[in-house]
């Protein structure tokens, strides 16, 4: 359906100034209007008789509210998952977490039960190296809060409980099916498409989202966005799973594309073995462990250079993907293993090791991991890439790229990288004349930082005597990057709290344009001292896609070559460079 309609109520809610369409930010090859106004749905819960899955789910929720404890449990579990769920939900210290102070139950639901693996182990859960442990994730709809409960099922006891405020676990399959049912039966979806779709036509149905001017904004409610691809556009049907109703619909441009070109072997043994345990690599003076996580991408840990410890761990926590600065909607993507995971974009091949070449000379090596949606590069499918780069001279760079194609031609990608230092030390920022040490936890954006004559903006001084400078991406790394415009955060490492050392749920909303990307929640109030402490660095790049012919960026297309469709890639690389200071 390619009509432009004037929705005055929607304009008032979204703060738009005119009816009709808005010119595209970049030229496209399609004649379809670049933007069609969003349609907000009436705040009405669907009639249960027309939605059998939703009806059954609502009945289950009602029954759970009267249960003891008031938690909707997961079904179809194996014996170990079932035991973990029983132990977690019957922990006496947890019972007050499921109800308000006056005893009225919250709406709680078990979203996931997964085994604790080596990459999840922290100081508080070290015993899980010796016994079988599972992580039970319970979502509180009322408080938008996740309880991450680590259970020792060998001894049938709870080890650790983490309260993760303003966070949402990956949703289970039955909620994905409910979201598809709501979206495919909504009159707004049928009117926009011009026909009634089937539920299996919806893609990205388990990916959390947000839409400004609705209660999904800032992730106050749990929302997902089943998406229907129609020609060169994608219709987002934003479903509020807290209120179990459609919030609204919105078109985005995706451009023309050919059929899918990737293979489906996503759960082969070559990938899965890297999800089960860490692998040790020692090469060219570098030594580290690496492992695929459930939803934090490829994680490296215990990283040292020439025998000197540098980093405790480094990993990719989230992809925040926004498709309209004006309307504020998008996805919060997770990348990870293809099993025991609800990651939206999963690993399709094992980690790969390749050479780093500068001026035709081999100068190091890199560990690379790719994450693909099954039908990439078709619309609303994604391809992300991680590359940990290790240089012979001690330089290190955690590099990350989006290769599109995504669900729109006006996307901004904000990958969240977490880097934990192995030793105590300090971080300093160049103020234009000298290195100024950060005494307490803080963050800095691209517009306020100064660049040292050597090209770096920050310096790390370790207690073990080593020093590294940090240069953010400004387009200087000869990888096609156009500059990261990154936020950098420095927070105190709290191993007893597990502020992200183990696998993280989605942090922060998808669509904020300021520094509220998630890591800021680990800056205490008042900010704690990070002078001569164990420090965690968070790096959030901001990468704007572009489908302009000849200037594509964060983008991919299918092109016909020799009678078959092949992908043409335009990746946007990001990431800081750590360089050892001479003589240190």
């Amino acid at each position: 359906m390619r009509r432009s309609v004037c929705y005055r109520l929607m304009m008032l809610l979204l703060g738009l100034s005119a009816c009709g369409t808005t010119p595209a930010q970049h030229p496209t090859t399609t004649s379809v209007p670049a933007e069609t106004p969003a349609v907000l749905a009436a705040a009405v819960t669907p009639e249960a008789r027309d939605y059998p899955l939703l009806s059954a789910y609502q009945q289950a929720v009602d029954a759970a509210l009267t249960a003891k404890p008031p938690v909707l449990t997961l079904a179809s579990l194996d014996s170990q998952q079932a035991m973990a769920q029983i132990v977690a939900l019957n922990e006496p210290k947890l019972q007050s977490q499921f109800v308000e102070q006056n005893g009225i139950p919250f709406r709680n639901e078990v979203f996931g039960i997964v085994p604790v693996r080596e990459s999840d182990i922290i100081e508080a859960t070290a015993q899980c190296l010796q016994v079988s442990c599972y992580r039970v994730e319970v979502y509180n709809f009322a408080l938008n809060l996740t309880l991450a409960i680590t259970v020792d099922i060998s001894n049938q006891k709870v080890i650790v409980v983490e309260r993760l405020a303003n966070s949402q676990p990956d949703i289970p399959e039955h909620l994905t099916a409910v979201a598809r049912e709501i979206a495919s039966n909504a009159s707004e979806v049928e009117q926009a498409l011009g026909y009634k779709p089937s539920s299996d036509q919806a893609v990205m149905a388990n990916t959390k989202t947000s839409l400004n001017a609705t209660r999904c904004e800032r992730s106050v409610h749990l929302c997902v966005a089943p998406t229907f691809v129609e020609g060169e556009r994608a219709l987002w049907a934003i479903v509020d799973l807290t209120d179990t109703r459609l919030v609204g619909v919105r078109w985005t441009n995706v451009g023309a594309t050919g059929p899918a070109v990737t293979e489906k072997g996503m759960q082969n043994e070559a990938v899965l073995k890297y999800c089960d345990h860490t692998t040790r690599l020692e090469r060219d003076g570098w030594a580290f462990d690496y492992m695929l996580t459930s939803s934090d991408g490829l994680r490296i840990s215990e990283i040292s250079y020439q025998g000197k410890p540098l980093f405790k761990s480094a990993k990719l926590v989230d992809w925040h993907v926004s498709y309209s600065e004006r309307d504020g909607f998008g996805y919060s993507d997770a990348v990870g293993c293809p099993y025991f995971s609800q990651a939206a974009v999963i690993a399709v091949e094992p980690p790969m090791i390749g050479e780093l070449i500068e001026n035709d000379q081999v100068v190091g090596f890199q560990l690379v991991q790719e994450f693909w949606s099954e039908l990439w590069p078709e619309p609303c499918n994604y391809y992300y890439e991680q590359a940990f780069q290790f240089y012979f001279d001690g330089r290190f760079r955690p590099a990350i790229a989006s290769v599109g194609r995504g669900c729109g031609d006006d996307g901004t990608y904000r990958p969240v990288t977490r880097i934990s230092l192995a030793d105590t030390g300090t971080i300093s920022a160049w103020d234009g004349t000298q290195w100024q040490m950060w005494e307490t936890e803080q963050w800095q954006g691209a517009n306020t930082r100064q660049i040292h004559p050597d090209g770096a903006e920050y310096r790390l001084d370790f207690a073990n005597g080593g020093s590294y400078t940090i240069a953010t991406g400004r387009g200087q790394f000869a990888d096609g990057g156009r500059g990261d415009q990154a936020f950098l955060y420095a927070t105190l490492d709290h191993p007893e709290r597990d502020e992200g050392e183990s696998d993280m749920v989605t942090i922060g909303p998808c669509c904020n344009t300021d520094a509220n990307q998630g890591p800021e929640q680990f800056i205490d109030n008042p900010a704690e001292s990070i002078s001569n402490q164990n420090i965690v660095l968070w790096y959030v790049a901001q990468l704007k896609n572009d489908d302009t012919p000849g200037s594509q960026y964060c983008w991919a297309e299918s092109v016909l070559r020799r009678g078959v469709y092949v992908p043409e890639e335009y990746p946007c690389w990001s990431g800081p460079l750590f360089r050892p200071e001479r003589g240190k």
Side-chain angles (χ1 to χ4, degrees), residues 178-380:
V178 168
R180 290 177 185 270
E181 182 183 60
I182 292 173
S184 60
N185 284 283
S187 60
E188 291 85 356
V189 171
E190 182 175 357
Q191 182 178 2
L193 292 172
Y195 63 90
K196 180 177 172 53
S198 61
S199 62
D200 58 7
Q201 287 179 256
V203 300
M204 301 294 289
N206 67 332
T207 304
K208 294 181 286 291
T209 188
S210 177
L211 176 64
N212 283 356
T214 74
R215 299 198 70 184
C216 298
E217 187 176 2
R218 300 185 184 278
S219 299
V220 172
H221 277 197
L222 176 65
C223 299
V224 293
T227 305
F228 301 88
V229 177
E230 183 71 14
E232 299 181 10
R233 296 195 297 171
L235 182 72
W236 298 47
I238 298 178
V239 175
D240 184 334
L241 287 173
T242 302
D243 285 344
T244 57
R245 70 174 186 87
L246 182 77
V247 170
V249 296
R250 175 65 190 271
W251 285 103
T252 58
N253 293 323
V254 294
T257 185
V261 298
T262 58
E263 297 180 1
K264 293 185 178 181
M266 291 188 174
Q267 295 191 9
N268 56 70
E269 291 298 325
V271 173
L272 297 187
K273 72 176 184 178
Y274 293 99
C275 300
D276 288 332
H277 56 79
T278 57
T279 298
R280 188 69 175 171
L281 180 62
E282 297 182 4
R283 173 172 170 166
D284 301 319
W286 289 93
F288 57 89
D289 296 324
Y290 64 96
M291 182 176 181
L292 279 166
T293 68
S294 292
S295 61
D296 287 349
L298 181 66
R299 175 184 184 263
I300 60 173
S301 57
E302 307 302 324
I303 306 120
S304 64
Y305 175 64
Q306 294 183 346
K308 183 177 292 187
L310 293 177
F311 306 106
K312 182 162 56 172
S313 67
K315 61 182 181 177
L316 173 59
V317 173
D318 277 340
W319 278 96
H320 298 164
V321 188
S322 172
Y323 282 105
S324 174
E325 290 189 7
R326 184 191 68 190
D327 292 349
F329 66 97
Y331 290 132
S332 291
D333 276 354
V335 294
C337 285
Y339 81 128
F340 280 124
S341 169
Q342 287 293 321
V345 186
I346 60 177
V348 295
E349 293 181 355
M352 298 171 287
I353 298 174
E355 294 179 334
L356 290 173
I357 299 177
E358 292 179 354
N359 301 319
D360 297 325
Q361 298 292 320
V362 177
V363 295
F365 69 96
Q366 60 182 340
L367 180 69
V368 179
Q369 181 62 57
E370 298 175 339
F371 302 91
W372 293 354
S373 296
E374 184 177 353
L375 299 179
W376 180 87
E378 287 203 355
C380 292

